[in-house]
Each structure stands twice: as C-alpha cells, then as structure tokens.
Amino acid sequence: IAGITQAPTSQILAAGRRMTLRCTQDMRHNAMYWYRQDLGLGLRLIHYSNTAGTTGKGEVPDGYSVSRANTDDFPLTLASAVPSQTSVYFCASSDSSGSDEQFFGPGTRLTVL
Amino acid sequence: GEDVEQSLFLSVREGDSSVINCTYTDSSSTYLYWYKQEPGAGLQLLTYIFSNMDMKQDQRLTVLLNKKDKHLSLRIADTQTGDSAIYFCAESWGDYKLSFGAGTTVTVRA
C-alpha cells in the first residue's frame, strides 16, 4: 500500500441499506477526512479526525458516522442510505504540520437507488 | 467552513496562458491551495501559498495572492492538453481543515 486506498471503487445500493466505505492510509498521518463531491458544489467535508480516538463533524454530517480506532483506518458508515447520498466520496489525510497539505484517495462512487 | 468561489469553466487554446480566479472569505487562513483533479481520480496538490506571500512561482505555475481583496489566482503558462482538468481553490480554516471552491473545469483546445 502506498498513500491512501479506498474501497469499494464503486457501489450501487438500495435505499435503506447500511453501507461502510473503507479508507486506509500508510503515511502515519494523524488527521483524516471524508468529503463528498457533487457537481457544481465542489468538495464538502462530512467528518474529520484530528487524531486516533477523536472525530468531528464537518459541513454535511447528517446521515453519516465515522470511527477512528487507529491511525491508519477511517471508515465512513451510512446507517440507512438515501438517494441524496448518491455522490463520489473522497477520503484524505494530512500530517497537520507545515503546509497542512491533504492527500486524497481515488474515491468511491456511490449510487443509492 | 468558509465560502470559496471560483468560476466553473475556462476554455483555452493550447500554448496560451490560463488564468483561474478564486475569492475566499476567511482572512485568517494560513495557507491557500490549488488542487488538480483529472477525470476519474482524486485531487492532487498543485501548489500552495503562505498567506504572507504575494506571489509564488513554480515552473509553469504562478500563484498571485491579494489579501486585501481576498483574491487568489493561478496562472498556467504554455497550457498543454495534459492541463485539461478540474482545478480547485481551497483555504485552510480551523484545525487542519480545508474549504474548497466548486472547481473550475479547464478545457484545452488545439
């Protein structure tokens, strides 16, 4: 593994189903983030974690939950998916030093029907 | 987050310069960034500028920052077909968080 990986690459999901998007980084970054990307809206922050064991809400947290049991993993869970959660989801990480550059994963394309 | 605004589309002829503009709202931002997203991929950092700088040049890229007007621009010299992508402006806020604009889709025509 090099950088950030996300799984699955894409998923079609029935409304009401539970879904967990996985994110793993091997850079030992302390901060991690989940964004959703929608056409014309750019990237919006869903949840973030400044360090293992802590999480925080971003701009659009409703309907999503996260956990940060260790440094490397930051899963995003949709407890009961709705069509408005159809989007491309990006995980990112940063080491919270210097320029605070965020490194992005390749994204998960989620369609909720 | 804070509001970051940028125009949605830019069409440029190959070999010409591209200029992408952005306005932001948080005057306390420490860093401002330009990210590039190619089709089907995640975002990659192109360049960033520290808030106490007015200009930063990196090969074909020039970033200009006007703090008074909260205006950031990215100039790409000698634009190539490989520069076709979506470009996002972003500002830092809070603890390690970024606020992104909607993205400018740059199309390079022959």
Side-chain angles (χ1 to χ4, degrees):
Chain A
I1 297 177
I4 299 182
T5 58
Q6 293 183 235
T9 303
S10 65
Q11 181 76 43
I12 299 174
L13 190 66
R17 297 295 295 269
R18 180 184 178 89
M19 176 73 191
T20 295
L21 308 185
R22 299 185 298 279
C23 174
T24 299
Q25 53 106 356
D26 66 354
M27 297 176 284
R28 306 304 293 172
H29 287 170
N30 57 300
M32 297 187 74
Y33 315 84
W34 275 105
Y35 294 90
R36 59 177 290 172
Q37 183 180 20
D38 302 291
L39 192 63
L41 296 176
L43 275 76
R44 292 181 291 169
L45 183 65
I46 304 171
H47 284 287
Y48 66 93
S49 169
N50 286 341
T51 189
T54 69
T55 63
K57 294 182 179 180
E59 299 172 71
V60 288
D62 294 343
Y64 305 95
S65 63
V66 291
S67 61
R68 187 89 184 276
N70 58 60
T71 298
D72 299 344
D73 301 300
F74 191 42
L76 176 73
T77 297
L78 289 67
S80 179
V82 295
S84 62
Q85 292 177 311
T86 294
S87 187
V88 181
Y89 291 86
F90 287 101
C91 180
S93 70
S94 71
D95 67 1
S96 66
S97 65
S99 69
D100 295 339
E101 176 185 356
Q102 291 188 12
F103 295 81
F104 283 79
T108 293
R109 182 174 293 277
L110 182 67
T111 302
V112 182
L113 302 176
Chain B
E2 305 297 330
D3 289 333
V4 178
E5 295 188 356
Q6 51 185 129
S7 54
L8 293 183
F9 301 100
L10 176 68
S11 178
V12 62
R13 188 175 301 170
E14 189 175 10
D16 288 351
S17 292
S18 309
V19 179
I20 309 168
N21 295 301
C22 168
T23 57
Y24 61 96
T25 56
D26 188 351
S27 59
S28 65
S29 293
T30 303
Y31 294 98
L32 295 125
Y33 308 82
W34 285 103
Y35 279 82
K36 178 182 181 182
Q37 183 183 32
E38 297 186 352
L43 279 69
Q44 285 191 304
L45 182 68
L46 262 186
T47 187
Y48 66 92
I49 188 167
F50 190 49
S51 59
N52 68 353
M53 298 171 63
D54 298 324
M55 186 183 83
K56 180 179 180 181
Q57 188 150 2
D58 184 2
Q59 298 183 347
R60 292 190 297 123
L61 305 178
T62 302
V63 178
L64 295 178
L65 175 60
N66 182 328
K67 285 196 72 175
K68 175 177 171 291
D69 295 337
K70 298 190 184 69
H71 183 267
L72 183 74
S73 68
L74 174 69
R75 178 177 179 269
I76 305 173
D78 186 25
T79 309
Q80 302 298 307
T81 55
D83 295 324
S84 291
I86 304 176
Y87 292 81
F88 291 91
C89 171
E91 62 173 345
S92 59
W93 66 279
D95 291 335
Y96 325 133
K97 292 188 281 292
L98 299 184
S99 185
F100 288 85
T104 299
T105 298
V106 173
T107 302
V108 181
R109 60 187 193 277

